[in-house]
Amino acid sequence: MEEQKKKKILSLIQPTNTPHLGNYLGAMCNWVKMQEEFDCTYGIADLHSLTVRQDPVKLRGQIKESYALLIASGLDPEKSTLFVQSHNPHHSELAWLLNCYTQFGELSRMTQFKDKSAKHPDNINAGLFTYPVLMAADILLYQADMVPVGVDQMQHLELARNICQRFNGVYGDVFTMPEGYITKATAKVMSLQEPTKKMSKSDENVNASVSVLDDRDTIIRKFKRAVTDSETEVCAREGKDGIINLMSIYSGVTGKSFDEIEAEFKGKGYGDFKLAVGEAVADKLAPMQEEYKRVSFDKAYIESCMKLGAEKAYKVSRKTLQKVQKKVGFIVF
């Protein structure tokens, strides 16, 4: 019997700052699990990062760091396609073509454009306005069946689906219609200092987020300083945002349910709980941190993996791009 063809999944992350605990639990861990079940394409979205001014030296370092961290987290460059976006020129080429099939009004309604324009009023560039089209090109290039998305990216996925439907409506079934892939319940990681806000890599408060490369003492210290409430009971109920956040994180790294966590810390204070969460997080990240040290020092290995990923990504995406070029009337050799 012929083996059933695996569905294709695509996901990219921007190389801006070191990933935090939320990125690790919400994306990186799930990516590792997905590569056993799906045909996975994972990338470092360095083209997207240029909508904000970057220091070239720092950006190069962040691209290498992000790539090495994905390998250290368990992604296999042989099993999955693991590439750097700018190493495949097809992304930019398809993005231009799709720009011509995207309406100005659609892009002007993108909430992230409005948010980022407010944050960077001195640099409201065309790339910031059109980068959802580049995101659509990322997805459609690889004929992805599914795209792991959070709530903040659903609008961009819908735009990609609209572009796909519009193009297919004119030229036939050129692109696969992508679906959003909602991962199984994972820890929703909020800021340790403002637990009603998501944990962010760009938070100015160093105690608000935990980097995946923070050392053990730093991790534990940050959790000891985490905002809670004036009560002492470890439980999930309204008004206990800080404790619920810590319980969610503890559940994410240990696999324990909220009921099990409440039972474990019954009669204990917040100090004991915060210490336990910090130690559990440090234990969870330790193997990846050790592997990262090994991988990041092997520059030849990193470069060989990047080249392999670029070749695999180019080969797959070339078929799609040439199909599109022929459909719109270009001469293709």
Side-chain angles (χ1 to χ4, degrees), residues 23-200:
N23 302 136
Y24 178 71
L25 294 176
M28 296 164 73
C29 288
N30 284 317
W31 286 11
V32 175
K33 296 173 186 174
M34 287 176 195
Q35 69 181 352
E36 303 302 325
E37 185 180 350
F38 302 102
D39 177 359
C40 297
T41 300
Y42 298 128
I44 305 298
D46 52 345
L47 293 178
H48 286 285
S49 68
L50 294 183
T51 58
V52 176
R53 291 287 177 266
Q54 302 288 339
D55 177 283
V57 175
K58 184 180 178 183
L59 180 60
R60 271 191 289 273
Q62 289 173 331
I63 291 169
K64 292 175 184 176
E65 178 188 271
S66 298
Y67 195 90
L69 278 169
L70 292 182
I71 294 175
S73 70
L75 292 183
D76 185 343
E78 296 286 345
K79 190 176 294 183
S80 300
T81 297
L82 185 57
F83 75 109
V84 177
Q85 187 186 27
S86 63
H87 292 171
N88 184 3
H90 294 161
H91 289 258
S92 300
E93 291 182 63
L94 183 61
W96 167 250
L97 292 170
L98 296 185
N99 267 318
C100 299
Y101 292 83
T102 307
Q103 300 302 303
F104 183 90
E106 290 178 306
L107 293 177
S108 65
R109 289 191 292 272
M110 295 291 109
T111 55
Q112 283 207 11
F113 170 70
K114 296 173 184 176
D115 293 343
K116 290 190 176 183
S117 295
K119 287 182 180 178
H120 305 280
D122 58 334
N123 185 27
I124 306 175
N125 56 74
L128 185 63
F129 187 68
T130 63
Y131 92 96
V133 183
L134 176 58
M135 189 178 294
D138 298 336
I139 297 166
L140 300 178
L141 258 181
Y142 299 94
Q143 305 290 358
D145 296 293
M146 292 177 290
V147 182
V149 286
V151 175
D152 57 341
Q153 294 293 345
M154 280 303 297
Q155 193 181 33
H156 290 156
L157 178 61
E158 281 305 311
L159 177 66
R161 286 170 56 83
N162 290 343
I163 295 170
C164 175
Q165 187 175 37
R166 183 175 299 134
F167 197 92
N168 286 353
V170 176
Y171 300 108
D173 293 332
V174 179
F175 297 121
T176 298
M177 178 64 76
E179 302 285 345
Y181 180 80
I182 308 301
T183 56
K184 294 177 182 177
T186 54
K188 185 178 181 182
V189 180
M190 312 302 280
S191 164
L192 296 184
Q193 294 300 308
E194 295 181 72
T196 57
K197 290 171 48 180
K198 283 179 64 177
M199 186 175 284
S200 171

Side-chain angles (χ1 to χ4, degrees), residues 20 107 169 182 193 203 214 250 279 283 290 294 301 322:
H20 58 62
L107 293 177
I182 308 301
Q193 294 300 308
D203 200 310
D214 279 345
Y250 193 60
E279 289 179 337
D283 290 343
E290 284 301 311
R294 186 190 70 80
Y301 174 67
Q322 287 193 328

Side-chain angles (χ1 to χ4, degrees), residues 295-321:
V295 170
S296 61
F297 280 113
D298 194 341
K299 294 182 180 179
Y301 174 67
I302 292 292
E303 288 184 7
S304 68
C305 289
M306 284 185 174
K307 288 178 181 178
L308 173 64
E311 289 168 3
K312 290 165 71 174
Y314 188 92
K315 184 178 179 180
V316 171
S317 60
R318 184 170 183 266
K319 295 177 183 177
T320 299
L321 182 62

